[in-house]
Amino acid sequence: MNIVIIEDESAIADTLIHVLEMDGFQAHWFNTAGAGVAHLKTKSADLLILDVGLPDGNGFELCKQIRGFSDIPIIFLTARADEIDRVVGLEIGADDYVTKPFSPRELLARVKLRLKSIRRQAQPECEQGQDELRVENFDYVRGNTALGLTALEFRLLDALLKSSPRVLSRQQLMDFSSMPSEEAYERNVDSHIKSIRIKLQKVALAECLKTKRGFGYYFEKE
């Protein structure tokens, strides 16, 4: 899913992008209201993280403008903690309100919560049955859609599916996938998992590939 960030502080934006992309989202950052709105008018997006204080506009006014052409979920991100600001933000069409400083993981949880209803419509549960993932020509397929996995991605996903719902550590994934020695390091596993999640989005199963913080990864079938 595509997340748009309109935030003028690059350090905050970099943190958000890292957290979102590590969880399988695609993030697009704009540091001005004008650039962000131009993108939203021409490109599809699933959620907007919007800073209230922008160099070329007020986030509240920008929210009103966006609500004129889009019903995209909006999470305000701001240093303003006053109750009246939160009320105003929600009344003009925002879906949530997060104050700075904030926990990136908490914001990620809020993003997932706001997308939950959308995913229920667009992404079926990870149920077993006739629409489950199956192997064809060393690739995984759901329905008529192939994921287009590389050989290493196929072995990683295959290990996770066969071990489901057990958590596999990065080292176990390297062992089970016979990762070449020159590629066998933990951050490389993370990179391949991110790529697999993006490809699972095509068959509405990205949310089934989960991270167990501090341990590894697992695939939740139901």
Side-chain angles (χ1 to χ4, degrees), residues 86-136:
R86 295 197 300 272
V87 172
V88 169
L90 296 172
E91 285 183 345
I92 63 176
D95 297 272
D96 207 344
Y97 197 103
V98 178
T99 56
K100 303 175 185 177
F102 62 92
S103 161
R105 293 297 172 190
E106 178 185 352
L107 182 58
L108 178 63
R110 290 175 182 265
V111 167
K112 291 181 175 181
L113 178 63
R114 296 304 156 191
L115 291 173
K116 190 173 182 180
S117 60
I118 296 175
R119 286 192 178 115
R120 281 180 173 174
Q121 298 173 11
Q123 299 185 347
E125 294 295 325
C126 309
E127 74 276 359
Q128 301 181 30
Q130 62 181 2
D131 291 331
E132 68 183 346
L133 287 168
R134 65 184 187 279
V135 176
E136 288 186 7

Side-chain angles (χ1 to χ4, degrees), residues 36-49:
V37 169
H39 177 85
L40 289 170
K41 285 183 175 179
T42 58
K43 305 291 184 180
S44 63
D46 298 294
L47 184 140
L48 169 64
I49 299 174

Side-chain angles (χ1 to χ4, degrees), residues 133-198:
L133 287 168
R134 65 184 187 279
V135 176
E136 288 186 7
N137 297 322
F138 298 100
D139 197 3
Y140 270 98
V141 179
R142 191 183 195 202
N144 295 319
T145 303
L147 298 185
L149 299 169
T150 65
L152 182 52
E153 289 169 353
F154 172 79
R155 293 196 296 270
L156 287 168
L157 182 56
D158 190 60
L160 287 163
L161 286 168
K162 289 178 177 177
S163 300
S164 176
R166 182 163 61 94
V167 176
L168 296 181
S169 68
R170 293 174 177 84
Q171 184 60 56
Q172 287 175 313
L173 285 168
M174 287 188 282
D175 294 341
F176 291 160
S177 64
S178 301
M179 186 175 286
S181 58
E182 66 273 13
E183 298 181 23
Y185 51 95
E186 292 189 352
R187 290 303 177 191
N188 198 27
V189 173
D190 294 340
S191 178
H192 285 297
I193 291 294
K194 174 184 171 183
S195 178
I196 293 170
R197 276 203 180 105
I198 291 172

